[in-house]
Amino acid sequence: GIVGLVGALFSPRQILVALRLLKAVTVSMIALTATANLVYVAMVEFVAQPYVDNSYFGIRRDTVLRVYGLGLSVLALMIEMDKFTMKNFKVLKGFIARFVLLFFVACLTYVHPAQWANANNAVPGSAVMFQMVCSIMLACCSFFYAIFGLLCLDRFTSRAFLSTQDPAASTAIPARKYDAPSY
């Protein structure tokens, strides 16, 4: 199947290097997204004036979205750093589930381009651009998780991802015989 094809094309060390690079980039993008959320909330609360010409945007709406985005960003950051949350959120160990979480955070924290139209009385353009770039980069990281999940790399690396042993030895299938249960 897919795992055999991936195993034939890539060595375990290459897969682990790619996954650790993805993890490092994802952690930095999640941290930047959380920072962008804080900056955006600060700009909305302290700098921006109420939107008078566009009822779609509003200070309360923007603040609520960013606070939810900030909370989910912190959750995603703790999951990526393998903190205590992995014991409570085991479903997010798989790459497809991480893709869904990261893409949801990226979509939730994305700033609508129509914010530029309200530049005269709204959030400064630098905060809008910072939020947009961070959200787009986090979405790109999430798509890599989707690709790696479709290639079943999370199954291959479930025991070796954080192992200090040789990747080939830690991902080897045990040589004992497995018997089918009798019913």
Side-chain angles (χ1 to χ4, degrees), residues 22 25-26 28-30 32-33 102 106 110 130-144:
L22 175 63
V25 170
T26 302
S28 63
M29 286 301 116
I30 292 171
L32 282 174
T33 302
L102 293 175
Y110 185 73
F130 183 46
Q131 186 74 46
M132 288 175 77
V133 169
C134 289
S135 297
I136 290 170
M137 294 302 294
L138 185 61
C140 291
C141 290
S142 74
F143 282 119
F144 277 109

Coordinates of all heavy atoms in Angstrom, one line a residue, residues 22 25-26 28-30 32-33 102 106 110 130-144:
L22 N 9.2 20.2 9.6 CA 7.9 20.7 9.6 C 7.4 21.0 11.0 O 6.7 22.1 11.2 CB 6.9 19.6 9.0 CG 5.5 19.9 9.1 CD1 5.1 21.1 8.2 CD2 4.7 18.7 8.6
V25 N 9.0 24.5 11.9 CA 8.3 25.6 11.2 C 6.9 25.8 11.7 O 6.5 26.9 11.9 CB 8.3 25.3 9.7 CG1 7.5 26.3 8.9 CG2 9.8 25.3 9.1
T26 N 6.2 24.7 12.0 CA 4.8 24.8 12.5 C 4.8 25.5 13.9 O 3.9 26.3 14.1 CB 4.2 23.4 12.5 OG1 4.2 22.9 11.2 CG2 2.7 23.6 13.0
S28 N 6.9 27.6 15.1 CA 7.2 29.0 14.9 C 6.0 29.8 14.3 O 5.7 30.9 14.7 CB 8.5 29.3 14.1 OG 8.3 28.8 12.8
M29 N 5.3 29.1 13.4 CA 4.2 29.8 12.8 C 3.0 29.9 13.8 O 2.3 30.9 13.8 CB 3.7 29.0 11.5 CG 4.6 29.2 10.3 SD 4.7 31.0 9.9 CE 6.5 31.2 10.2
I30 N 2.8 28.9 14.6 CA 1.8 29.0 15.6 C 2.1 30.1 16.6 O 1.2 30.8 17.0 CB 1.6 27.6 16.3 CG1 1.0 26.6 15.4 CG2 0.7 27.8 17.5 CD1 1.0 25.2 15.9
L32 N 3.9 32.7 16.1 CA 3.7 34.0 15.4 C 2.2 34.3 15.2 O 1.8 35.5 15.3 CB 4.4 34.0 14.0 CG 5.9 34.3 14.1 CD1 6.5 34.1 12.7 CD2 6.2 35.6 14.6
T33 N 1.4 33.3 15.0 CA -0.1 33.5 14.9 C -0.6 34.0 16.2 O -1.5 34.9 16.2 CB -0.7 32.2 14.4 OG1 -0.2 31.9 13.1 CG2 -2.2 32.4 14.2
L102 N -5.0 22.9 12.7 CA -4.2 24.1 12.3 C -4.9 24.9 11.2 O -4.8 26.1 11.2 CB -2.8 23.6 11.8 CG -1.9 23.0 12.9 CD1 -0.7 22.4 12.2 CD2 -1.6 24.0 13.9
A106 N -6.0 28.7 11.3 CA -5.6 29.7 10.2 C -6.8 30.4 9.6 O -6.7 31.6 9.4 CB -4.8 28.9 9.2
Y110 N -7.6 34.5 10.1 CA -7.3 35.2 8.9 C -8.1 36.5 8.9 O -9.3 36.6 9.3 CB -7.7 34.4 7.7 CG -7.4 35.0 6.4 CD1 -6.1 35.1 5.9 CD2 -8.3 35.6 5.6 CE1 -5.7 35.7 4.7 CE2 -8.0 36.2 4.4 CZ -6.7 36.2 4.0 OH -6.4 36.8 2.8
F130 N 0.4 41.6 9.1 CA 1.0 40.6 10.0 C 0.1 39.4 10.2 O 0.5 38.3 10.2 CB 1.5 41.3 11.3 CG 2.2 40.4 12.3 CD1 3.2 39.6 11.9 CD2 1.9 40.5 13.6 CE1 3.9 38.8 12.8 CE2 2.5 39.7 14.5 CZ 3.5 38.8 14.1
Q131 N -1.2 39.7 10.5 CA -2.2 38.7 10.8 C -2.4 37.9 9.5 O -2.5 36.6 9.6 CB -3.5 39.3 11.2 CG -4.5 38.4 11.6 CD -4.3 37.7 12.9 OE1 -3.9 38.4 13.9 NE2 -4.4 36.4 13.0
M132 N -2.5 38.5 8.3 CA -2.7 37.8 7.1 C -1.5 36.8 6.8 O -1.8 35.7 6.4 CB -2.9 38.8 5.9 CG -4.3 39.5 6.0 SD -4.4 40.7 4.7 CE -4.8 39.7 3.3
V133 N -0.3 37.3 6.9 CA 0.8 36.5 6.5 C 1.0 35.3 7.5 O 1.2 34.2 7.1 CB 2.1 37.4 6.5 CG1 3.4 36.5 6.5 CG2 2.1 38.3 5.4
C134 N 0.8 35.6 8.8 CA 0.9 34.5 9.7 C -0.2 33.4 9.5 O 0.1 32.2 9.6 CB 0.7 35.0 11.2 SG 2.2 35.9 11.7
S135 N -1.4 33.8 9.2 CA -2.5 32.9 8.9 C -2.2 32.1 7.7 O -2.5 30.9 7.6 CB -3.8 33.6 8.8 OG -4.1 34.2 10.0
I136 N -1.7 32.7 6.6 CA -1.4 32.0 5.4 C -0.3 31.0 5.6 O -0.4 29.9 5.1 CB -1.1 33.0 4.2 CG1 -2.4 33.8 3.9 CG2 -0.5 32.3 3.0 CD1 -2.2 34.9 2.9
M137 N 0.7 31.4 6.3 CA 1.8 30.5 6.5 C 1.4 29.3 7.4 O 1.9 28.2 7.2 CB 3.0 31.2 7.1 CG 3.7 32.2 6.2 SD 4.3 31.5 4.7 CE 5.6 30.5 5.3
L138 N 0.6 29.5 8.4 CA 0.0 28.4 9.2 C -0.8 27.5 8.3 O -0.8 26.3 8.5 CB -0.7 29.0 10.4 CG -1.2 27.9 11.4 CD1 0.0 27.2 12.0 CD2 -2.0 28.6 12.5
A139 N -1.6 28.0 7.4 CA -2.4 27.2 6.5 C -1.5 26.3 5.6 O -1.8 25.2 5.4 CB -3.3 28.1 5.7
C140 N -0.4 26.9 5.2 CA 0.6 26.1 4.4 C 1.2 25.0 5.2 O 1.3 23.8 4.7 CB 1.7 27.0 3.9 SG 1.2 28.2 2.6
C141 N 1.5 25.2 6.5 CA 2.0 24.2 7.3 C 0.9 23.1 7.5 O 1.3 21.9 7.6 CB 2.4 24.7 8.7 SG 3.9 25.7 8.7
S142 N -0.3 23.5 7.7 CA -1.4 22.5 7.9 C -1.5 21.7 6.6 O -1.8 20.5 6.7 CB -2.7 23.2 8.2 OG -3.2 23.9 7.1
F143 N -1.3 22.2 5.4 CA -1.5 21.4 4.2 C -0.3 20.4 4.1 O -0.5 19.3 3.6 CB -1.5 22.3 3.0 CG -2.9 22.9 2.8 CD1 -3.0 24.3 2.8 CD2 -4.0 22.1 2.6 CE1 -4.3 24.8 2.6 CE2 -5.2 22.7 2.4 CZ -5.4 24.0 2.4
F144 N 0.9 20.7 4.6 CA 1.9 19.7 4.7 C 1.6 18.6 5.6 O 1.9 17.4 5.3 CB 3.3 20.4 5.1 CG 4.0 21.0 3.9 CD1 4.1 22.4 3.8 CD2 4.6 20.2 2.9 CE1 4.7 23.0 2.8 CE2 5.2 20.8 1.9 CZ 5.3 22.2 1.8

